[in-house]
Amino acid sequence: MNKLKNQKGFTIIEVVLVLAIAGLIFLMVFIALPALQRSQRDTGKKQDISTVAAAVQDYMSNKGGSLPPSSAELQKFITKNMSQVDKKDATVDSKIGPTTVTPNEAQIIVVREAKCNTNPTKGNNTTIKGTKRNAAVIGKLEAGGDANYHCVEV
């Protein structure tokens, strides 16, 4: 009997407790990881939107402050000068505003003659009337559901 009492080791309760704690740690990591990845993609998307806005601003600076006469010309200019924006992840479209814009995660939309709406409706981002020298660059972010858009005025 004394021989059994002197043996050292873990009880089954101690082993189960350690496994439960390890399981909780893994669960927390797997819950937090997708949110972190979404946040990183949104940061990249915001940078892409700002890069497109900078290209539009550059065009306007080179052309006396005015936007291209057609959406097709604006599209061509942005696509040609956007080496920093991954063409697979961000297609640039353009519209004449004001209009209701509902981009998907893979789109960046330039709305000519419009400004960003500070009070967008759920599910879209309605641009408001601007002058011929205004443009709004809009993209949809992943975090925050349907009404989470990032808009930059030019």
Side-chain angles (χ1 to χ4, degrees), residues 30 54 58 78 87:
F30 286 120
D58 184 44
I78 290 171
K87 304 286 190 300

Side-chain angles (χ1 to χ4, degrees), residues 44-151:
K45 183 68 170 224
K46 286 179 182 179
Q47 290 173 346
D48 289 346
I49 292 168
S50 295
T51 303
V52 170
V56 172
Q57 184 70 42
D58 184 44
Y59 182 96
M60 291 171 63
S61 295
N62 292 333
K63 301 293 183 177
S66 62
L67 285 165
S70 70
S71 293
E73 188 177 335
L74 177 62
Q75 174 76 31
K76 182 179 171 186
F77 176 80
I78 290 171
T79 304
K80 184 176 96 177
N81 292 295
M82 296 315 309
S83 60
Q84 296 167 346
V85 176
D86 188 351
K87 304 286 190 300
K88 295 175 195 164
D89 294 337
T91 59
V92 179
D93 192 11
S94 58
K95 301 180 182 297
I96 295 180
T99 185
T100 299
V101 179
T102 310
N104 61 36
E105 282 90 2
Q107 288 179 310
I108 297 173
I109 298 178
V110 178
V111 185
R112 301 167 64 232
E113 301 176 22
K115 292 183 178 183
C116 295
N117 186 2
T118 56
N119 190 20
T121 59
K122 184 171 174 59
N124 63 50
N125 190 346
T126 307
T127 57
I128 58 175
K129 185 163 179 55
T131 68
K132 289 194 181 233
R133 294 179 181 242
N134 293 119
V137 182
I138 302 170
K140 183 176 181 185
L141 305 177
E142 290 182 54
D146 288 338
N148 196 9
Y149 294 90
H150 185 64
C151 186

